[in-house]
Amino acid sequence: MADATRPLPSLSDPDTGPFWQATKEHELRYQVCDDCDEVVFYPRRHCGPCLGSPVSWRTSKGEGEIYSYSVVQLSRHPFFGTKVPYAVALIDLDEGFRMLSNVVGVEDPVAELSVGQRVVVEWEDHDEVAIPLFRPA
Amino acid sequence: MASQSRDAAIVGIYELPERKVDGLSPLQIKAECAAKALADAGLDWSDIDAIYDAQDGGGGLNVAEYFGLHPRVMDTTQVGGSSYEFHAAHARADIAAGRANVALLTYGSTQASSARRTGTEVRAGGGVPDPGANMEAPWGQTLISMYAMAAHRHMHEYGTTSEQLAEIATATRAHAMRNPQAVKAMEDLLFLNIRETTIEDVVTSRMIANPLHLLDCCMVSDGGGAVVIASPEVARGCAKPPVWIIGAGEAMAYQENGGDITTSAGAQSAPIAFGESGVRPDEIDIAMVYDSFTITVLILLEDLGFCAKGEGGAWVEGGRLRWDRAGGPALNTDGGGLSSNHPGMRGIFLLLEAARQLRGESTAQVDGAALAVAHGNGGQLAGRHSGATIVLARD
């Protein structure tokens, strides 16, 4: 039996599918409203404040900081249960959008991570998609 | 106070005593609780003309059929644990508008018996595509770690400590130890060390998702309850004194780019509710505040206006929230979700215990309790969530 794997997103969701399709090329994409220049994230068909306005895709440099985080010590998931302790974090990207991710590349996430810490994206490749993760810059 | 409206009152209440239910379905629990809440009010099934239902346990479309009723108002608002505060707000409005006279709210859950691991499951998407969930599925976020992020940010911005969060857990445990149903709940759910806890107990309990420890987290129990809300004309003829709904506010909040996860939907709903009621937070005797986690209460106390944003940590120190202390409202005097019951959506119990206090029926009764607030939080703090604030007064 294959080992449990990370749950993967849908590539066909009408709003967020294009985000995930671009990850195959290691592109971290976000949207900007064509009318008001607001950053739109999570991705969707329209800008919230300007309901109905079109949005354009941009590619992030993948650099930002930890807005907040938690180190999960107990998880019942067949994959994540084997990964504890692991850090989930809200990352504020420098372009102005905030996304959930994991912070990896540290031996002891409790001791080594902090709010405000600078991080940079790295990619975990799967067949159809790559998952953006972050490590300390 | 002169302009305060008293358009609807809680007139009947019932809470299922059991937290580990053997063989009953959620719908059966809802019906049993409804019958007993009606008896508490001195009303009959035939008096009900409005049903409010959070679609729990097979409710929603079939709840009227199961009860054998033909209501004039049917409201199936489902916003997680806050659903019942939304229902109370809607029932009051429907009664004030003359659309209904007697409203029934019910809840039934077998969450513990069905072995749901609510807090530590990973929400891994699947089912109907949801753009928000599709941006959260891959990273192993658990419900508890979501709240933990709010706690970490609060600590970072305001210097809040784990010991300050523990004040909330120790106050509610002290209240639980006075409530035989809560003590029985902890026994049935195999709690260790069923006694009053210390700050030290909380901060040295097992870490679940930093910075939240085991004793910062609510239990997972079965449970159920019912609330009957009626017009002033009906309320005057009921068996128990009315508990008036004098203010109500509703709000939604969600993750936003650059947003502040240390502020909840309550910051929007509370001023509306207090504004309608004509009373101030510092006049409140009883604070029934959704305690999924200690951090939930800390943030909600700030958003309800008991203290300024960021000052909650220092404000709760020294046992301020205990039933027998002056200087602050008594918090969750039934023992709360932390130590009495949390079957998944705790909102109805906030209304139940607030009503018990204003009737003088609590096991941690505050002398002369006249004003209470019940604030429900649904969904996940730090992510998409709902909040509704209900201000209550006795005659």
Side-chain angles (χ1 to χ4, degrees):
Chain A
M1 198 178 101
D3 288 338
T5 56
R6 183 187 292 277
L8 297 177
S10 161
L11 281 85
S12 60
D13 173 64
D15 286 305
T16 62
F19 171 91
W20 289 110
Q21 291 161 22
T23 62
K24 182 93 170 120
E25 306 304 322
H26 291 187
E27 280 190 20
L28 187 66
R29 298 177 75 187
Y30 65 102
Q31 296 169 318
V32 174
C33 175
D34 291 348
D35 282 347
C36 74
D37 293 331
E38 276 291 312
V39 172
V40 178
F41 199 90
Y42 58 79
R44 63 203 83 172
R45 192 178 177 210
H46 62 267
C47 169
C50 313
L51 207 65
S53 293
V55 292
S56 297
W57 289 95
R58 306 273 173 85
T59 300
S60 166
K61 286 183 177 169
E63 298 172 2
E65 64 176 53
I66 298 175
Y67 171 73
S68 193
Y69 71 103
S70 175
V71 179
V72 177
Q73 307 281 356
L74 182 62
S75 170
R76 303 293 188 185
H77 190 269
F79 173 76
F80 289 105
T82 68
K83 300 296 177 192
V84 294
Y86 61 91
V88 291
L90 290 168
I91 309 296
D92 276 347
L93 279 299
D94 290 347
E95 292 85 358
F97 67 99
R98 179 178 295 168
M99 67 177 289
L100 186 69
S101 188
N102 297 133
V103 182
V104 298
V106 291
E107 284 197 6
D108 180 355
V110 174
E112 296 177 51
L113 299 183
S114 57
V115 173
Q117 191 169 2
R118 294 290 299 174
V119 289
V120 60
V121 73
E122 69 171 45
W123 296 92
E124 180 185 280
D125 288 314
H126 295 262
D127 288 345
E128 303 289 327
V129 67
I131 302 299
L133 308 173
F134 289 81
R135 60 178 163 76
Chain B
M1 293 280 280
S3 64
Q4 180 187 91
S5 66
R6 297 195 167 197
D7 296 323
I10 296 174
V11 296
I13 55 174
Y14 184 76
E15 178 174 344
L16 191 77
E18 291 84 18
R19 311 294 197 262
K20 196 87 161 107
V21 175
D22 194 17
L24 285 183
S25 75
L27 270 178
Q28 291 173 327
I29 295 171
K30 287 157 76 83
E32 176 178 328
C33 292
K36 290 183 169 159
L38 285 164
D40 179 63
L43 295 172
D44 292 319
W45 283 99
S46 59
D47 293 314
I48 297 167
D49 53 12
I51 293 179
Y52 302 79
D53 194 90
Q55 308 173 43
D56 51 305
L61 186 62
N62 70 358
V63 70
E65 176 184 11
Y66 192 81
F67 292 163
L69 298 174
H70 294 280
R72 286 196 288 154
V73 172
M74 184 74 216
D75 180 325
T76 56
T77 301
Q78 161 50 268
V79 278
S82 67
S83 298
Y84 306 90
E85 281 67 43
F86 278 74
H87 294 169
H90 299 176
R92 171 201 186 219
D94 289 334
I95 290 168
R99 285 188 291 270
N101 289 308
V102 180
L104 174 65
L105 288 58
T106 59
Y107 175 50
S109 167
T110 55
Q111 189 130 329
S113 301
S114 55
R116 287 279 313 278
R117 285 157 167 170
T118 314
T120 53
E121 284 176 344
V122 168
R123 310 278 167 116
V128 180
D130 166 348
N134 204 41
M135 296 304 297
E136 295 160 7
W139 296 293
Q141 176 79 297
T142 61
L143 184 151
I144 300 175
S145 63
M146 198 81 179
Y147 285 78
M149 284 192 193
H152 247 164
R153 187 71 197 183
H154 204 281
M155 290 173 164
H156 172 79
E157 289 205 26
Y158 305 115
T160 307
T161 65
S162 290
E163 287 75 11
Q164 290 171 334
L165 290 176
E167 290 272 2
I168 289 156
T170 58
T172 53
R173 177 61 68 87
H175 301 159
M177 294 311 296
R178 301 184 56 81
N179 177 356
Q181 291 181 9
V183 172
K184 177 80 163 42
M186 291 188 278
E187 290 168 357
D188 290 349
L189 295 166
L190 308 178
F191 272 44
L192 302 173
N193 302 319
I194 301 171
R195 54 173 168 73
E196 285 204 29
T197 47
T198 63
I199 305 265
E200 181 78 6
D201 290 331
V202 179
V203 301
T204 58
S205 64
R206 179 184 179 185
M207 192 67 85
I208 305 296
N210 297 68
L212 296 181
H213 308 78
L214 177 67
L215 293 180
D216 288 301
C217 304
C218 66
M219 64 169 74
V220 177
S221 69
D222 297 340
V227 172
V228 180
I229 298 173
S231 65
E233 294 72 25
V234 174
R236 291 297 174 203
C238 284
K240 296 282 183 70
V243 172
W244 299 102
I245 300 173
I246 60 170
E250 306 171 30
M252 304 296 296
Y254 41 86
Q255 188 66 246
E256 295 183 82
N257 298 315
D260 170 18
I261 65 170
T262 70
T263 296
S264 78
Q268 183 181 337
S269 66
I272 298 169
F274 278 109
E276 281 186 2
S277 73
V279 301
R280 300 185 313 271
D282 63 10
E283 296 176 275
I284 294 289
D285 302 301
I286 308 298
M288 293 302 303
V289 181
Y290 204 102
D291 59 339
S292 43
F293 301 94
T294 52
I295 184 62
T296 321
V297 174
L298 193 87
I299 284 176
L300 293 177
L301 287 170
E302 293 171 346
D303 293 342
L304 287 166
F306 287 105
C307 60
K309 180 54 62 185
E311 294 178 0
W315 194 77
V316 301
E317 282 182 341
R320 179 193 288 266
L321 302 170
R322 291 176 59 113
W323 71 295
D324 54 356
R325 303 289 172 89
L331 173 75
N332 299 349
T333 45
D334 57 342
L338 291 164
S339 288
S340 178
N341 62 1
H342 199 301
M345 301 194 293
R346 189 163 204 279
I348 201 163
F349 305 112
L350 307 174
L351 299 171
L352 291 170
E353 175 66 6
R356 283 191 291 257
Q357 280 282 356
L358 299 188
R359 289 174 169 190
E361 298 175 354
S362 174
T363 50
Q365 183 62 46
V366 172
D367 286 343
L371 290 167
V373 64
H375 181 87
N377 190 81
Q380 296 186 34
L381 203 69
R384 67 190 64 86
H385 68 275
S386 51
T389 311
I390 302 292
V391 183
L392 297 156
R394 69 177 185 191
D395 258 335

